[in-house]
Amino acid sequence: MLNIGCHLSSSKGFRHMGKEALSIDANTFQFFTRNPRGSKAKAIDENDVKELIHIMEENHFAPVLAHAPYTLNPCSADARTKEFALEVLIDDLVRMEHLPGNLYNFHPGSHVSQGTETGIQLIADALNFILTKSQTTTVLLETMSGKGSEIGGSFEELRQIIEKVTLDEKVGICLDTCHVHDAGYDIVNDLDGVLNEFDRIIGLDKLKAIHLNDSKNPISSRKDRHEKIGEGVLGLETMVNIINHPGLRGLPFYLETPNEVPGYAQEIKLLRGLFR
Ligand code: FE
Ligand code: FE
Ligand code: ZN
């Protein structure tokens, strides 16, 4: 069974996302915890969440993936920006416990001019500040394309963050196929080699989710522009290799391609048909 879904709008609530996922033959989905630019989150409607949990159980959903606002920067040089990132992360993790046992993804951040080492330390500090022993949510660091001063464009950087985290069993990785390719990992010609490298540096046991996206730009471009499945430089064959890879096929896959819901429905149908 291929566990696949796409990014959905959370504006109509949790139950609506569950129903929308079902309507496009998805058995998981991703959503923003709040406006992607990071405004205040709506209060949790307990009945609405319960209805989603019911839908997920009845239909054997894979874990759903909540995505933090992408403007968060826990390794900013600005004290207020850092503090805001911590406030949002803590608030989101409290909210996630209404939907126990799922995944929460964030972009590690940009060190601006402070240097990679400082950036890595600040992200680890943030995780050590927000993670709790009792939480049931696994917090994922997303692999990034490495544009600007972004942290997380290499497996080494992600490992260095995790190494500094005390509750490292609460931390995992979300691998974005567009981002790793843009960062220079050749998943088109050497998927096995890239995954061996991931395993050697981070450990495949830490890989909890895949953002399945094609890319508009060539390898090592450090651009981060997603393309529809099969229409970019990764191509359909690479996507098919990824979903069927023995080390990946059991993971949940989330599409973040430039689509509205009907386009996602087509991609899910296509990929389900190519899952062996
Ligand atoms: Fe992301
Ligand atoms: Fe992504
Ligand atoms: Zn991206």
Side-chain angles (χ1 to χ4, degrees):
M1 170 76 159
L2 176 61
N3 293 315
I4 191 164
C6 62
H7 188 90
L8 294 175
S9 164
S10 55
S11 63
K12 290 183 182 152
F14 290 103
R15 175 183 176 276
H16 187 269
M17 289 189 283
K19 289 279 182 199
E20 196 160 50
L22 285 179
S23 78
I24 57 174
D25 199 21
N27 64 334
T28 183
F29 59 88
Q30 174 177 269
F31 63 100
F32 282 125
T33 53
R34 61 191 72 213
N35 177 299
R37 302 219 146 258
S39 60
K40 200 168 158 18
K42 273 190 295 192
I44 295 261
D45 175 343
E46 207 47 63
N47 285 323
D48 185 37
V49 183
K50 287 221 168 78
E51 287 189 52
L52 172 61
I53 292 171
H54 183 69
I55 290 171
M56 289 178 66
E57 283 170 358
E58 290 240 293
N59 297 281
H60 312 289
F61 269 40
V64 294
L65 178 55
H67 196 307
Y70 49 68
T71 49
L72 280 199
N73 191 5
C75 61
S76 167
D78 176 64
R80 180 63 200 126
T81 305
K82 249 185 327 203
E83 195 187 338
F84 175 73
L86 291 177
E87 283 166 14
V88 169
L89 290 168
I90 288 174
D91 185 47
D92 278 354
L93 286 182
V94 169
R95 296 155 57 82
M96 285 299 288
E97 290 304 312
H98 292 268
L99 195 61
N102 288 286
L103 305 168
Y104 178 74
N105 174 67
F106 76 104
H107 295 178
S110 294
H111 66 71
V112 201
S113 55
Q114 305 173 94
T116 308
E117 217 175 297
T118 302
I120 286 169
Q121 186 62 53
L122 289 172
I123 297 157
D125 290 348
L127 284 165
N128 281 325
F129 189 72
I130 64 165
L131 296 175
T132 61
K133 249 195 186 114
S134 62
Q135 72 181 60
T136 63
T137 304
T138 303
V139 176
L140 308 184
L141 294 159
E142 182 167 353
T143 62
M144 303 308 291
S145 66
K147 63 178 175 321
S149 66
E150 244 171 27
I151 304 277
S154 74
F155 299 158
E156 285 82 359
E157 289 177 6
L158 295 167
R159 177 187 62 189
Q160 286 168 38
I161 296 168
I162 297 173
E163 271 175 357
K164 294 179 194 295
V165 176
T166 309
L167 294 172
D168 61 338
E169 72 274 16
K170 305 291 185 187
V171 179
I173 301 289
C174 172
L175 186 147
D176 186 307
T177 56
C178 167
H179 297 178
V180 291
H181 187 257
D182 286 12
Y185 292 99
D186 192 359
I187 54 175
V188 175
N189 300 299
D190 190 17
L191 179 60
D192 279 332
V194 172
L195 292 177
N196 284 338
E197 193 173 338
F198 186 100
D199 193 36
R200 183 169 53 78
I201 295 168
I202 303 176
L204 268 180
D205 59 317
K206 280 286 178 210
L207 185 54
K208 306 294 184 193
I210 305 282
H211 279 166
L212 192 67
N213 303 308
D214 213 321
S215 174
K216 285 191 194 292
N217 289 291
I219 188 162
S220 307
S221 60
R222 297 184 162 234
K223 285 274 204 252
D224 187 1
R225 298 282 311 282
H226 303 185
E227 184 52 283
K228 292 179 181 163
I229 298 300
E231 295 184 20
V233 298
L234 298 186
L236 185 58
E237 198 184 323
T238 298
M239 297 295 150
V240 173
N241 292 339
I242 290 169
I243 59 171
N244 287 293
H245 193 283
L248 306 177
R249 54 182 290 127
L251 293 170
F253 296 88
Y254 307 87
L255 300 164
E256 301 177 306
T257 45
N259 276 304
E260 302 296 326
V261 173
Y264 282 132
Q266 280 182 14
E267 290 185 340
I268 289 167
K269 185 165 188 236
L270 172 71
L271 291 163
R272 285 204 185 285
L274 293 166
F275 187 66
R276 296 184 282 266

